[in-house]
Amino acid sequence: MKKIGIIGIGKMGNAIAINLIKRGYAVNFYTRRPGYFEDRVISSGGSKKITKAQLAHDSQVILLCVTGTPEVEQIIYGEDGLLESILPGTIVIDCSTSIPESTLRIAADIEGKNAYYLDAALARTPKEAEEGRLNLLVGASQELFDQCLPIFQCFAENIEHVGPLSYGHRLKLIHNFVALGFSAVMAEAVACAKAADIDMNSLLAVLSKGAGEGTIMRRFQPYILEQDDASFRFTISNASKDIEYYLAMAKEHNASSEMAKTAGKMYANAVVKSDPESTVPKMIDILGIAPA
C-alpha cells in the first residue's frame, strides 16, 4: 500500500491519519505545532518527520490538512517547501478550504515537477472525522480520482467527484457560504428573540415546523437551549475567512455577492468584537451585545 504523508494533524487531520493507519496505510506526518495531537497519532502508529522534505521523500501521497490558502502556499513555496522536495509521481491532495485561483497556480507548479495535485475539500465536523464519515468534494481528472478513491474511503462517507481541478474548492466555498449565510440569519434571529423575551422552546418549535427547519437549526439547537456548541465546532475566524474566499471567487467570476458581503461583515465584526476562536453558535451572544 502507498505510504501517505499528512501535513497538518489538527482536529481533522489527526483523525484522518488515525483512520488511514487503521486501514493499513503507513502514515508519516509533519506538524508546525508540536504536541498538538502529535502523541495521539504516534501512539496509533504514525511516524513523525522533522521537515517537510523528509516527509516528501518518504511519501507517495501527501495530504494537506490545513486551514486555507496562506497555509497551503507556505507549505508549497515557503522555507522547506514541498515544491523543492517533492518527488516525481507523488500525488498531493489538498483538503483545505482555499481560493480556487491559488489551487490552479499551485497545481501547475507541482505538475512542473512531474507530480500531481488535486483538491479534496472536507466538509462535516471533527466528530465525523473521528468516525471516518467526512464528506469530500474532489476536483480532479477521472483517472486521478479513481487512483485516490481507496484512500478517500478510509476517512470519508460521502465522496463527490465534482469536476476537474479546483472545482472541489469552488463548490466548498459555495457550500460554506450557504451554511454560514443561514447561520448568520439564525444567530441574528435568535438574538432578537432573546431580546424580545421569547421562550426558546417556543421559538424552536415554530422554526422546526416552518421555514427554519434544517441542518443549521439542528446544529444551533443545543446551544440555544443548553449553551452546548459541540455540534457546531466551527470558529467565527474560519467563517470570516471562508466568506472572504467566497467573495474573491464571486468577484473573479463577476457574480452577485450582496448577501455574502453582509454575512462577511457580520463575521468580520464578530471576530473583532469577541474571541476569534468562538464557535459560530456563539454569534447569538455576540450579536446580542448592544453597540457602545
Side-chain angles (χ1 to χ4, degrees):
M1 300 178 82
K2 294 182 184 296
K3 286 187 176 180
I4 299 180
I6 298 184
I7 299 179
I9 54 164
K11 294 175 183 176
M12 305 292 266
N14 91 91
I16 290 171
I18 291 168
N19 277 307
L20 286 166
I21 293 166
K22 286 178 179 177
R23 296 288 287 269
Y25 284 96
V27 172
N28 305 310
F29 72 90
Y30 170 85
T31 179
R32 298 170 302 155
R33 302 170 67 178
Y36 192 60
F37 294 107
E38 183 178 325
D39 292 344
R40 186 168 187 251
V41 177
I42 291 172
S43 66
S44 298
S47 175
K48 180 179 179 179
K49 301 298 180 181
I50 304 301
T51 67
K52 293 189 282 291
Q54 287 179 358
L55 180 135
H57 290 155
D58 197 29
S59 304
Q60 296 160 294
V61 176
I62 300 173
L63 273 71
L64 311 182
C65 296
V66 294
T67 304
T69 296
E71 293 81 5
V72 173
E73 291 184 347
Q74 176 63 29
I75 288 167
I76 302 297
Y77 300 114
E79 184 180 356
D80 183 35
L82 283 185
L83 195 61
E84 297 302 317
S85 55
I86 195 167
L87 299 178
T90 302
I91 298 172
V92 180
I93 302 172
D94 181 0
C95 295
S96 70
T97 301
S98 288
I99 298 172
E101 186 179 7
S102 174
T103 302
L104 290 168
R105 178 168 65 93
I106 291 170
D109 290 338
I110 292 291
E111 287 165 7
K113 298 287 185 175
N114 296 312
Y116 305 93
Y117 197 86
L118 67 151
D119 48 313
L122 301 175
R124 289 190 165 172
T125 71
K127 177 180 180 292
E128 286 86 18
E130 291 285 344
E131 297 166 351
R133 297 178 49 249
L134 289 170
N135 291 345
L136 278 185
L137 308 175
V138 184
S141 68
Q142 188 65 52
E143 182 182 0
L144 197 54
F145 174 79
D146 291 343
Q147 200 172 344
C148 294
L149 184 58
I151 295 171
F152 297 150
Q153 290 171 331
C154 294
F155 60 88
E157 178 179 40
N158 300 306
I159 304 161
E160 299 288 340
H161 184 200
V162 298
L165 180 72
S166 86
Y167 277 65
H169 283 156
R170 295 182 194 203
L171 194 51
K172 176 65 186 299
L173 293 179
I174 292 169
H175 170 275
N176 279 19
F177 164 56
V178 172
L180 295 169
F182 284 179
S183 295
V185 170
M186 180 66 69
E188 189 168 271
V190 176
C192 181
K194 285 178 174 284
D197 197 30
I198 291 173
D199 176 73
M200 292 297 104
N201 284 295
S202 297
L203 172 70
L204 290 170
V206 170
L207 291 177
S208 66
K209 294 170 186 172
E213 200 283 327
T215 299
I216 297 303
M217 194 204 74
R218 290 192 292 272
R219 287 191 173 184
F220 266 79
Q221 182 168 328
Y223 190 79
I224 293 169
L225 296 178
E226 301 168 2
Q227 298 286 291
D228 178 5
D229 64 353
S231 62
F232 203 167
R233 302 288 296 172
F234 196 77
T235 66
I236 58 173
S237 60
N238 273 339
S240 181
K241 179 264 297 181
D242 285 1
I243 296 291
E244 180 185 336
Y245 287 0
Y246 174 84
L247 286 167
M249 183 177 74
K251 182 177 180 180
E252 181 187 353
H253 294 283
N254 197 31
S256 176
S257 58
E258 295 309 308
M259 292 296 292
K261 288 175 184 174
T262 299
K265 184 178 179 181
M266 288 176 66
Y267 286 111
N269 288 342
V271 169
V272 173
K273 208 172 183 181
S274 183
D275 177 1
E277 296 305 300
S278 294
T279 55
V280 168
K282 293 183 180 179
M283 284 283 287
I284 295 168
D285 307 317
I286 297 167
L287 292 171
I289 300 172

